[in-house]
Amino acid sequence: MMKIVQPRTLNLRKTLFVGLVILGLMVWSAIRKPAPPVNPMWQGSTMGTTYTIRIAHSPLGSKTLQQVQKAVENYLAAINDQMSTYLPSSEISRFNRSTETTPFPVSPDFARVVTFALQLSRDSDGAFDPTVTPLVNAWGFGSQAAGAEPAADQLEAALARVGYRYVTLTPDGALRKSRPDVQLDLSAVAKGYAVDGVAALLMQHGATNIFVEIGGECVAHGQNDRGHPWRIGIDRPAYGALPGENLEAVVELSHRAIATSGDYRNFRATEDGTVVNHIIDPRTGRPAQHQLASVSVLATNCLEADGIATALFVMGPDEGLAWATRRPDVEALFVVRTGDGFKELRTPGFKTSKLDENPAAD
Ligand code: AMP
Ligand code: MG
């Protein structure tokens, strides 16, 4: 016998069913993980400055993204533990305190950065010199900053301890100083090295469209979230200007790095009105002094871009432009002070684009 279902009972069941489906959906959406961002961006601090990381069209799931963020933090902490002169327990601080001339074992990253720094010292005829520490301190910069202009005998004593040839690497990657009082300063290259390291980490996890910046030194691969090459702003180097306040130029960057050295952010005005800046010419023992306000360098990796920018700043616009022009893998933009503003000098391959859009948002 067929059971006749009354319309009222049918409606009740239907309502109950729909209600259960809605409840199920609510429970499911509450427990399921939030979708990972399509274009994640995050920032933090390291090496006495800040960093920014962007991934466009990210293929990373939420869990992988969290793992990448943790891996980046750990990596940057490890680099600091090796190369920060501001951490008394770091490898570099211990090397600097040591007066032994026997091999001093260091981590592979540290050894790699020193190898590059010594090579750049040779290539630049000593304009770049990672043993510049006593001079940096004597002029009031660095971890043991003094403050005032150093006396002549103090400068002479500091200069005597500076010389990249006093440091060598043993075949198994240990450091050796041939003078007991030699000290290293890798501030001119460590940020660039860390930028490359972070980019490699992101790519190992499957991200291909990435932008990494630490304290203004950047590398970019692939494209930004709008499918264009990443756009990087170069600051107009007015004394004390804030990052991004006024742009001198915009560069499109893909599979390349850019780094800038200048005298406009880390400087000290003296009583006679001259400006003392943190980049020292190791050949004279005095802060690099010329009309050059900043130099930006494009290179295949950020370690090179960072180190070469410092070296070119020491050389100045004339010697620096000639040096950069001879290097096929390097492009440079020099921003030079004139009486009433700035003028640009650049190697032929340093291309900039219009200042029409906001590159910080790109
Ligand atoms: P950067 O901002 O990359 O040009 O690096 C500048 C920092 O490198 C300074 O604050 C010093 O700690 C260090 N430094 C200064 N002069 C030199 C030099 N001639 N060669 C290598 N490192 C330097
Ligand atoms: Mg540098």
Side-chain angles (χ1 to χ4, degrees), residues 128 187-189 217 259-261 305-310:
F128 188 92
S187 311
V189 272
E217 325 298 28
T260 299
S261 280
D306 193 359
I308 291 172
T310 308

Side-chain angles (χ1 to χ4, degrees), residues 81-358:
D81 285 343
Q82 293 170 34
M83 298 176 231
S84 168
T85 49
Y86 289 82
L87 287 180
S89 60
S90 68
E91 290 183 20
I92 198 167
S93 295
R94 288 191 289 108
F95 176 78
N96 287 349
R97 281 196 302 271
S98 164
T99 50
E100 301 295 325
T101 52
T102 48
F104 185 99
V106 294
S107 300
D109 286 308
F110 188 1
R112 264 179 231 128
V113 175
V114 174
T115 304
F116 172 78
L118 295 178
Q119 183 61 48
L120 181 58
S121 303
R122 290 188 285 274
D123 290 350
S124 66
D125 273 332
F128 188 92
D129 192 324
T131 65
V132 74
T133 317
L135 289 169
V136 173
N137 286 327
W139 283 99
F141 301 95
S143 62
Q144 289 144 43
E149 165 143 6
D153 57 341
Q154 194 190 346
L155 260 190
E156 209 177 300
L159 202 48
R161 298 163 56 196
V162 174
Y164 63 90
R165 290 191 180 84
Y166 294 137
V167 176
T168 49
L169 272 120
T170 64
D172 53 354
L175 299 186
R176 185 179 226 158
K177 48 173 99 172
S178 61
R179 260 185 82 114
D181 54 0
V182 164
Q183 298 187 328
L184 285 173
D185 177 348
L186 297 175
S187 311
V189 272
K191 287 200 289 279
Y193 183 77
V195 165
D196 291 336
V198 169
L201 257 175
L202 301 180
M203 290 195 283
Q204 275 159 26
H205 284 84
T208 48
N209 299 301
I210 59 171
F211 166 80
V212 179
E213 175 262 342
I214 302 179
E217 325 298 28
C218 320
V219 78
H221 292 278
Q223 298 176 329
N224 66 14
D225 53 356
R226 294 202 247 152
H228 299 305
W230 297 90
R231 287 162 57 84
I232 316 292
I234 296 177
D235 286 323
R236 173 154 295 198
Y239 283 122
L242 297 171
E245 194 178 319
N246 253 315
L247 294 185
E248 176 69 26
V250 172
V251 175
E252 289 194 343
L253 201 67
S254 194
H255 305 299
R256 282 187 118 185
I258 188 164
T260 299
S261 280
D263 68 357
Y264 58 104
R265 206 156 281 150
N266 192 356
F267 65 91
R268 189 159 47 80
T270 61
E271 276 168 17
D272 63 7
T274 56
V275 167
V276 173
N277 92 88
H278 67 133
I279 302 177
I280 312 289
D281 187 338
R283 304 166 300 189
T284 63
R286 310 188 70 81
Q289 218 154 27
H290 30 57
Q291 294 313 107
L292 183 57
S294 78
V295 53
S296 296
V297 172
L298 284 166
T300 44
N301 63 63
C302 206
L303 172 63
E304 286 192 12
D306 193 359
I308 291 172
T310 308
L312 294 183
F313 192 87
V314 173
M315 291 179 203
D318 302 331
E319 191 192 338
L321 185 62
W323 191 95
T325 307
R326 285 196 300 273
R327 290 277 300 248
D329 52 336
V330 168
E331 304 297 342
L333 169 71
F334 297 79
V335 185
V336 180
R337 289 197 177 85
T338 59
D340 54 354
F342 298 100
K343 69 171 184 189
E344 293 181 2
L345 299 171
R346 55 174 87 190
T347 56
F350 199 108
K351 303 270 186 288
T352 51
S353 54
K354 284 196 200 121
L355 287 175
D356 53 351
E357 288 167 64
N358 175 11

